Amino acid sequence: MSFARMKLLGALHRAGPKIMSDLSEELGVTARNVTALVDALEEEKLVRRVPHSTDRRATLVELTTAGERYGRQMASGSQMNAIAELFRGLMPDEQKQLLALVAKLHGLLAARGFGGGPCQPDEE
């Protein structure tokens, strides 16, 4: 699942059904991108389009039961997939550099009384 799709599901999970233009604004993407995201999530049966109750021109996007379950999983701390998605944009050597820098910063903070102690990146 892409980070953009996860953000859309998260927005619906937090605030309930939304019209496409509100999703576009909240996610900071074009209307065309929201349509593509909703299309993909609808195909995966995670969201559905429903008529707006007071505006015949508008369509709401809401979570399905499966989408709600996925939203609960994301909210319960299983956001590691989102982080992994971000890391996929880095080359393996860049990932190692980033992890080494984070470990070094963590160690510096720990030496000054902030945090628990140095973390070490996994060795291959």
Side-chain angles (χ1 to χ4, degrees):
M1 165 132 351
S2 74
F3 185 67
R5 289 182 191 178
M6 288 178 62
K7 278 181 65 174
L8 191 148
L9 288 172
L12 295 175
H13 179 73
R14 283 188 306 278
K18 292 183 174 247
I19 59 174
M20 302 274 263
S21 60
D22 288 347
L23 286 168
S24 175
E25 186 176 317
E26 183 172 340
L27 300 176
V29 299
T30 65
R32 180 184 290 196
N33 285 343
V34 168
T35 299
L37 291 169
V38 170
D39 287 347
L41 290 169
E42 196 171 37
E43 190 173 305
E44 295 177 38
K45 308 240 186 291
L46 296 174
V47 301
R48 68 179 151 254
R49 291 175 169 98
V50 296
H52 194 283
S53 62
T54 59
D55 185 350
R56 292 186 311 175
R57 297 169 297 157
T59 300
L60 288 171
V61 179
E62 68 179 15
L63 294 174
T64 62
T65 302
E68 289 173 13
R69 191 175 22 228
Y70 192 86
R72 281 193 304 275
Q73 289 173 346
M74 286 185 351
S76 72
S78 62
Q79 296 184 357
M80 294 306 289
N81 288 335
I83 295 168
E85 183 69 26
L86 292 173
F87 271 79
R88 284 189 196 101
L90 299 173
M91 299 299 295
D93 60 325
E94 293 171 325
Q95 291 177 17
K96 287 179 185 176
Q97 288 174 348
L98 178 60
L99 288 171
L101 288 170
V102 168
K104 185 173 183 176
L105 286 171
H106 189 77
L108 291 170
L109 288 169
R112 288 167 179 78
F114 301 97
C119 61
Q120 298 297 322
D122 291 338
E123 296 295 323
E124 289 189 24

